[in-house]
Amino acid sequence: MPLAAVWLSSTLPALVSAFPAVLNSIHYENSTFDRVACQTLSTQPLEGCPSGTLLVGSTAQYTTIQSAVASLPDDNTTAYILIQSGNYTEQVNVTRSAPVYLLGQTTNIQNYSQNTVNVIWAAVAGAGDNAYTSTLTVAPNLAAALTGSGPTGYAVPPNNPFGNTDFRAYNLNFINDAFPYAVSPSLALSMGYANAGFYYCGFYSYQDTIYVGKVGSAYFYKSAIAGQVDFFYGFGTAWIQSSDVLLRSCGGGITAWKGTNTTFQNKYGVYIHDSNVMKANSSLSLTGKCALGRPWNAQHRSIFANNLLDDSIQPNGYIDWSSTDPRVNNYTFQAEFQDYGPGFNLTARLANYPITLELTADQYAPYDSPEKVFQYPGGRFNNTAWIDYSA
């Protein structure tokens, strides 16, 4: 089925439904069930899972993840989907506004390297929009997922509905394995106008692995994100916590963000905290070749804080967009706070000011927790009730 048809088949029912645009009345589900009992490999796979959990597997009622997602009722209940071990070659599109939790069977719920579920797609953007390439999409409709072009990207209509208020994925790998690698955008994740948390997941591509679109908030915990070119990019807000950022090669930067003008103060950007930034495997020869990021537009905001950087990172840290189009001005915020390791060279970083900013504790304080950067669509901060801090 063509990519456009896949999208339409999964989103058309949602497009004719009413979506809540105001988030003050959202109900968030606490993740209080026993994930070990639910996700452990078993001959009774739903034992220990919440009542009503759907099962996906080669011999289950649902043989694809998308068919299970499409079957969910259009109501306010929290939906749980357990996915049995295996490779699933499909695109998954989540348009539902109420909470959706995808759970992968595993031998260890607290180690992404033990994941047994792989969701695999292979597509590059070419002349089309990046949105059509994504292995997983979490957005209320196509407009919210489109990247678009130019300094402000796709013009999402001002009355566009908000999508999923509390999407979660646990112990799943999302892979875009398009070849040849890094010749065009090939997304593992596209999300916008939604809140999404990823716990012990893996995201693997080469160019533009993770896209967090407008009014999108994404939280990654103890996960792996692998790429080569601009593999964290977007307009929304992403927080990467205690994860592995894996360099498959070097091109562009690790981060490439587009800032957005709003009538309220915003802190849209990508924040990478307490993580390992390192080559994907020891055989790669990347010493001093990889940039922390480059400005997709001059309002780029990213902070690497308290990360262990291996020797792949360029001594100067960040770079311009290009030699002929630097995209750096007094609004550009490409920053670090207390990074360390072989890839951190303070002398070279300071010499690269203002392209690379080394923050003081006071300068870093307004960005030092998810509560201070995740916002509701109207601009209010502390949009974090959907984050599973217990994972």
Side-chain angles (χ1 to χ4, degrees), residues 193-280:
Y193 278 70
N195 303 324
F198 303 93
Y199 309 89
Y200 309 98
C201 288
F203 298 87
Y204 302 92
S205 186
Y206 287 84
Q207 183 167 338
D208 299 346
T209 307
I210 301 291
Y211 173 65
V212 180
K214 295 175 180 177
V215 200
S217 297
Y219 180 83
F220 302 81
Y221 181 69
K222 290 196 174 180
S223 293
I225 303 95
Q228 175 177 334
V229 178
D230 302 338
F231 57 98
F232 291 98
Y233 87 109
F235 297 89
T237 306
W239 186 283
I240 295 84
Q241 180 67 48
S242 306
S243 294
D244 291 333
V245 177
L246 303 175
L247 304 164
R248 293 178 139 181
S249 188
C250 302
I254 296 171
T255 62
W257 224 254
K258 278 188 177 180
T260 302
N261 290 320
T262 56
T263 57
F264 49 84
Q265 178 195 20
N266 77 69
K267 295 182 183 177
Y268 302 148
V270 54
Y271 304 89
I272 300 176
H273 285 255
D274 308 301
S275 295
N276 301 308
V277 182
M278 58 190 180
K279 57 181 72 68

Side-chain angles (χ1 to χ4, degrees), residues 125-142:
D129 192 272
N130 301 357
Y132 293 109
T133 73
S134 190
T135 306
L136 170 66
T137 300
V138 183
N141 49 34
L142 180 57

Side-chain angles (χ1 to χ4, degrees), residues 324-360:
T324 58
D325 184 15
R327 303 185 186 179
V328 174
N329 63 26
N330 59 315
Y331 293 105
T332 312
F333 198 75
Q334 301 187 136
E336 284 182 286
F337 178 73
Q338 295 189 352
D339 285 338
Y340 60 98
F344 181 72
N345 184 324
L346 180 58
T347 301
R349 299 291 210 272
L350 295 175
N352 196 38
Y353 176 87
I355 298 171
T356 299
L357 306 176
E358 294 299 315
L359 303 181
T360 66

Side-chain angles (χ1 to χ4, degrees), residues 29-35 37-39 45-54 78-82 101 103:
E29 183 79 11
N30 291 322
S31 182
T32 55
F33 67 96
D34 186 346
R35 288 205 300 117
C38 180
Q39 292 182 247
L46 292 179
E47 187 175 8
C49 294
S51 176
T53 299
L54 304 183
T78 298
Y80 300 86
I81 299 174
L82 177 66
Y101 300 170
L103 306 155

Side-chain angles (χ1 to χ4, degrees), residues 35-381:
R35 288 205 300 117
V36 174
C38 180
Q39 292 182 247
T40 298
L41 298 170
S42 169
T43 56
Q44 301 293 325
L46 292 179
E47 187 175 8
C49 294
S51 176
T53 299
L54 304 183
L55 182 65
V56 176
S58 59
T59 60
Q61 178 181 359
Y62 300 99
T63 57
T64 67
I65 303 167
Q66 186 58 40
S67 63
V69 170
S71 75
L72 297 175
D74 183 19
D75 58 21
N76 293 322
T77 60
T78 298
Y80 300 86
I81 299 174
L82 177 66
I83 305 162
Q84 292 184 290
S85 300
N87 295 332
Y88 296 82
T89 303
E90 58 176 304
Q91 288 179 295
V92 178
N93 296 312
V94 178
T95 59
R96 189 177 192 255
S97 59
V100 174
Y101 300 170
L102 303 183
L103 306 155
Q105 282 192 330
T106 181
T107 58
N108 186 340
I109 65 167
Q110 293 186 322
N111 189 336
Y112 74 77
S113 70
Q114 301 300 308
N115 291 355
T116 67
V117 177
N118 300 308
V119 187
I120 305 168
W121 197 247
V124 296
D129 192 272
N130 301 357
Y132 293 109
T133 73
S134 190
T135 306
L136 170 66
T137 300
V138 183
N141 49 34
L142 180 57
L146 291 172
T147 300
S149 59
T152 58
Y154 180 76
V156 182
N159 60 345
N160 202 77
F162 197 82
N164 200 279
T165 58
D166 182 10
F167 174 86
R168 304 183 193 183
Y170 298 86
N171 302 97
L172 299 171
N173 295 331
F174 299 96
I175 302 164
N176 191 324
D177 200 32
F179 183 85
Y181 302 132
V183 298
S184 183
S186 50
L187 282 55
L189 168 67
S190 173
M191 62 86 61
Y193 278 70
N195 303 324
F198 303 93
Y199 309 89
Y200 309 98
C201 288
F203 298 87
Y204 302 92
S205 186
Y206 287 84
Q207 183 167 338
D208 299 346
T209 307
I210 301 291
Y211 173 65
V212 180
K214 295 175 180 177
V215 200
S217 297
Y219 180 83
F220 302 81
Y221 181 69
K222 290 196 174 180
S223 293
I225 303 95
Q228 175 177 334
V229 178
D230 302 338
F231 57 98
F232 291 98
Y233 87 109
F235 297 89
T237 306
W239 186 283
I240 295 84
Q241 180 67 48
S242 306
S243 294
D244 291 333
V245 177
L246 303 175
L247 304 164
R248 293 178 139 181
S249 188
C250 302
I254 296 171
T255 62
W257 224 254
K258 278 188 177 180
T260 302
N261 290 320
T262 56
T263 57
F264 49 84
Q265 178 195 20
N266 77 69
K267 295 182 183 177
Y268 302 148
V270 54
Y271 304 89
I272 300 176
H273 285 255
D274 308 301
S275 295
N276 301 308
V277 182
M278 58 190 180
K279 57 181 72 68
N281 64 72
S282 59
S283 67
L284 295 171
S285 179
L286 302 178
T287 302
K289 295 181 179 179
C290 297
L292 294 176
R294 60 178 183 159
W296 194 19
N297 74 7
Q299 293 172 277
H300 169 118
R301 179 185 287 118
S302 65
I303 300 177
F304 285 76
N306 302 305
N307 300 294
L308 172 60
L309 310 179
D310 83 354
D311 63 5
S312 305
I313 302 304
Q314 292 186 16
N316 56 338
Y318 288 91
I319 59 174
D320 293 331
W321 179 258
S322 70
S323 59
T324 58
D325 184 15
R327 303 185 186 179
V328 174
N329 63 26
N330 59 315
Y331 293 105
T332 312
F333 198 75
Q334 301 187 136
E336 284 182 286
F337 178 73
Q338 295 189 352
D339 285 338
Y340 60 98
F344 181 72
N345 184 324
L346 180 58
T347 301
R349 299 291 210 272
L350 295 175
N352 196 38
Y353 176 87
I355 298 171
T356 299
L357 306 176
E358 294 299 315
L359 303 181
T360 66
D362 287 343
Q363 290 171 326
Y364 172 61
Y367 308 96
D368 65 5
S369 71
E371 288 74 16
K372 293 180 180 180
V373 299
F374 282 125
Q375 298 174 253
Y376 292 90
R380 184 164 59 90
F381 287 96

